[in-house]
Amino acid sequence: MHAELEHLGFSIVTVALEKDPEDVRPFIERAAPTHPSLIDTDWVVADLYNAVNVPSVVWIDEEGRIVRPNDAVFVTGTWTRAHGVDHERHLRRIRRWATTGEGAMTAEEAARRQPVPDADHQQARAEFGLAQWLARNGHADRAEAHFARAGELAPHDFTIRRGSLPIRGIDSRGDEFREMVVDWVGKGNPYYELLED
C-alpha cells in the first residue's frame, strides 16, 4: 500500500512493540518494507495513542492531526477466521482517504472517539513501565508483581498483558496467551474493539 500511494504524499510507518529489537528484526527483514519500520522497546507508541491491542492503526494527516484514532486494522486475510475483521474494508477506507481525503474525522469527532485512559489504566501503564525497568535491570522477581497489577488494573489492554509475556520469558503466542484471550472473551468482552463508521 505504501508503494502504491506514496506518490500522493501518503506514508505508512509501522511500529513493533517488542522487548528486544532482535526479536522482530527477522520479520521486518523478511517483509522488506518500503516504508519506515520502527521497533519500540519502551511501549511509547502504545502510551501516546492509547493502543490496547495490536495491530492498531492511527491516521495522522499532513498537519500532524489525528483524523482517525486507533483502530484494529489487518492488511491480509490470514487471521480473519480468528478475529473476524474484514481487512479489505479497511484497505478500501485507507485508499479512499489517501486518494480523495474522504473518511477523515473532524478534530472534534476524532477527539470524541479516541479512547482516553482512566485513572486505573494510567496506573496500569505506570506499573507496566516499572515492571519493564525492573526486569531489564535484573529484578525479574520484583517485576512480576507489577506486571500482574498492571493486568488487573487494565484487563482490556493486551499491549500490557500480552506485551509482558516475552519480558517474563513466556511465549506471547503460547498457551498462557490463548488462555488469557479465551477467559477475556468468555466473559463477554471483545478482543478487538473496532471503530464504527
Side-chain angles (χ1 to χ4, degrees), residues 1-12 33-36 98-99:
M1 181 170 281
H2 179 262
E4 172 190 339
L5 300 172
E6 70 177 325
H7 71 281
L8 299 171
F10 176 83
S11 185
I12 292 174
T34 60
H35 61 274
T99 57

Side-chain angles (χ1 to χ4, degrees), residues 4-146:
E4 172 190 339
L5 300 172
E6 70 177 325
H7 71 281
L8 299 171
F10 176 83
S11 185
I12 292 174
V13 177
T14 55
V15 182
L17 303 174
E18 288 291 336
K19 71 176 180 75
D20 184 332
E22 296 311 313
D23 292 344
V24 74
R25 186 178 311 280
F27 297 101
I28 294 172
E29 289 174 353
R30 185 173 43 212
T34 60
H35 61 274
S37 189
L38 311 174
I39 303 167
D40 181 355
T41 60
D42 293 320
W43 275 249
V44 172
V45 170
D47 287 347
L48 289 173
Y49 296 100
N50 196 32
V52 298
N53 211 334
V54 293
S56 188
V57 173
V58 177
W59 294 7
I60 302 172
D61 70 10
E62 56 276 3
E63 314 281 313
R65 186 176 64 85
I66 294 174
V67 295
R68 187 171 179 89
N70 51 319
D71 194 8
V73 174
F74 296 83
V75 296
T76 71
T78 303
W79 300 103
T80 301
R81 281 187 44 187
H83 55 63
V85 178
D86 177 7
H87 73 284
E88 287 293 338
R89 180 171 163 235
H90 293 287
L91 296 178
R92 284 191 301 273
R93 181 184 294 129
I94 291 168
R95 283 185 177 101
R96 187 176 76 232
W97 175 54
T99 57
T100 69
E102 295 173 19
M105 296 178 181
T106 65
E108 296 77 23
E109 184 179 13
R112 184 175 47 78
R113 308 259 314 259
Q114 174 68 40
V116 177
D118 62 15
D120 282 347
H121 196 185
Q122 291 177 38
Q123 182 66 35
R125 296 237 180 218
E127 296 280 350
F128 180 71
L130 176 58
Q132 283 180 299
W133 186 90
L134 288 167
R136 286 183 184 150
N137 289 281
H139 307 287
D141 54 329
R142 292 174 54 201
E144 192 59 34
H146 296 285

